Amino acid sequence: MIQVSNLSKWYGPLQALREVSFQVDEGEIVGLLGPNGAGKTTTIKILTGYLHPDEGTVRIGGLDVLTHTREVQAIIGYLPENAPLYPELSVQGYLKMIADLRQIPPDEQLERIAEAVQAVGLEDQLTRPIGQLSKGYRQRVGLAQAILHRPKLLILDEPTLGLDPTQVLEVRRLIRRLARDSTVLFSTHILSEVEALCDRVIILMNGQVRADSRLSELASTPDAIVVLESVPAGLEASLRSLPGVRALEPFRSADGYPAFRVRGSPSQEAGLCPAIYRLARQENWPLRELRRDVRTLETIFNQLVATA
């Protein structure tokens, strides 16, 4: 659905994007994650045809965004960080205007508006002026205009920014429902948003892609966590002697027992747990827990920030 190749963008002397490349397959929910100023909004503006890159190419649905801008925009639903709403219009009046701008045939407009309104839960707000709605409901109106023309691709820039916790949960549920019919790419700097919604995450920092992976793959490590009743003599030397072990880090488990993080080499795809379990049985170690270590998205993000 999206193919981005070697995308670069300058604002005067400031380079906002540096040879950014990624792709998004049809049906995916992908989070574009990064701190403020990482280049997320610039990337989204280029994808939607509102901004031209200085270098690189972008294809949406097989079409080049630069040469087929109108055709690409016709298949995209876009909710910018600040939704383009008119506070003096009623919800239905605004959506009727959007339907006209989207050139939806008049005999289809009523059905499309009803479909979008039902999808985002605005049935009871149709006659109210947008300026009288809460921020959560205004965000729903923004989502409704984005899906009115049944887009193949939904692009959302910070869709929960400024919402209270209840409104955030509501918008998350909306996005999940909308993803049944559209590919979704959304930008955020909130880690929990990505963990709650995404199949995959692309992490941007300083205008560069620092990570691009499915969440399950990103969190997986070859490392093992070993928790014991006590530490037998020679245990550390035995663990260090296992093939693929890079380092041993002792610590205390949450309930106070001695524990070790056994660092494995990246080539250890199966992890270290099977070999450690065999060794523990052979040596009759008082094993309490043995599991593969899993990194949280926060841990990954902080590691990338530290090396940026």
Side-chain angles (χ1 to χ4, degrees):
M1 179 57 71
I2 302 175
Q3 292 178 310
V4 176
S5 301
N6 300 315
L7 206 61
S8 294
K9 179 66 181 177
W10 283 263
Y11 295 109
L14 174 65
Q15 187 170 10
L17 296 178
R18 303 168 186 267
E19 298 184 351
V20 169
S21 297
F22 63 86
Q23 70 177 42
V24 176
D25 294 331
E26 191 170 339
E28 283 191 300
I29 305 178
V30 177
L32 192 60
L33 176 65
N36 292 328
K40 304 185 300 298
T41 296
T42 296
T43 300
I44 281 179
K45 286 182 176 179
I46 292 173
L47 290 178
T48 53
Y50 288 93
L51 194 64
H52 283 197
D54 293 308
E55 294 176 0
T57 60
V58 178
R59 300 181 73 83
I60 305 287
L63 299 173
D64 188 291
V65 172
L66 292 180
T67 57
H68 297 83
T69 305
R70 290 298 179 90
E71 293 95 325
V72 167
Q73 289 175 340
I75 63 173
I76 290 177
Y78 177 37
L79 177 64
E81 187 175 335
N82 296 304
L85 304 178
Y86 294 83
E88 70 277 8
L89 292 181
S90 68
V91 171
Q92 63 184 7
Y94 172 73
L95 294 178
K96 174 66 169 65
M97 181 189 73
I98 296 297
D100 289 337
L101 291 172
R102 284 288 186 182
Q103 299 181 334
I104 297 173
D107 59 340
E108 295 181 22
Q109 288 188 7
L110 186 61
E111 178 187 352
R112 296 290 188 89
I113 291 172
E115 184 180 278
V117 163
Q118 184 176 15
V120 302
L122 281 171
E123 296 95 330
D124 298 332
Q125 310 295 325
L126 283 175
T127 60
R128 293 188 64 188
I130 292 172
Q132 295 180 11
L133 300 177
S134 68
K135 184 155 187 176
Y137 273 114
R138 291 199 299 271
Q139 200 74 335
R140 292 186 187 209
V141 175
L143 283 168
Q145 67 80 24
I147 65 172
L148 194 59
H149 57 299
R150 297 173 182 163
K152 295 180 180 178
L153 173 63
L154 193 57
I155 297 181
L156 312 173
D157 192 2
E158 302 280 3
T160 61
L161 186 67
L163 301 184
D164 66 36
T166 300
Q167 293 167 339
V168 167
L169 293 175
E170 290 174 353
V171 171
R172 284 181 186 173
R173 285 194 288 267
L174 286 176
I175 293 172
R176 288 194 197 97
R177 288 204 300 271
L178 298 174
R180 297 170 188 168
D181 303 307
S182 303
T183 302
V184 178
L185 174 71
F186 75 93
S187 79
T188 183
H189 62 276
I190 304 171
L191 300 176
S192 58
E193 291 292 292
V194 174
E195 291 177 319
L197 288 170
C198 293
D199 304 314
R200 213 175 99 224
V201 61
I202 299 166
I203 299 179
L204 281 181
M205 288 189 179
N206 298 323
Q208 296 177 295
V209 174
R210 298 296 306 278
D212 179 358
S213 182
R214 300 189 72 82
L215 285 177
S216 57
E217 295 168 353
L218 202 60
S220 180
T221 77
D223 305 339
I225 299 295
V226 183
V227 182
L228 304 116
E229 297 278 353
S230 59
V231 181
L235 178 138
E236 293 190 36
S238 297
L239 287 174
R240 292 181 192 277
S241 70
L242 289 173
V245 171
R246 294 187 295 115
L248 211 59
E249 298 174 2
F251 67 98
R252 284 278 168 181
S253 67
D255 48 5
Y257 287 95
F260 295 88
R261 178 174 287 104
V262 187
R263 298 287 191 187
S265 64
S267 61
Q268 294 284 325
E269 293 185 6
L272 294 168
C273 288
I276 293 173
Y277 179 70
R278 287 192 295 270
L279 183 61
R281 287 192 61 185
Q282 176 185 320
E283 300 294 334
N284 199 29
W285 289 342
L287 197 63
R288 285 185 60 86
E289 182 182 355
L290 173 62
R291 59 179 171 83
R292 191 165 186 164
D293 194 20
V294 177
R295 297 177 297 179
T296 65
L297 186 57
E298 181 178 2
T299 300
I300 298 162
F301 190 80
N302 288 336
Q303 288 173 348
L304 292 173
V305 169
T307 58

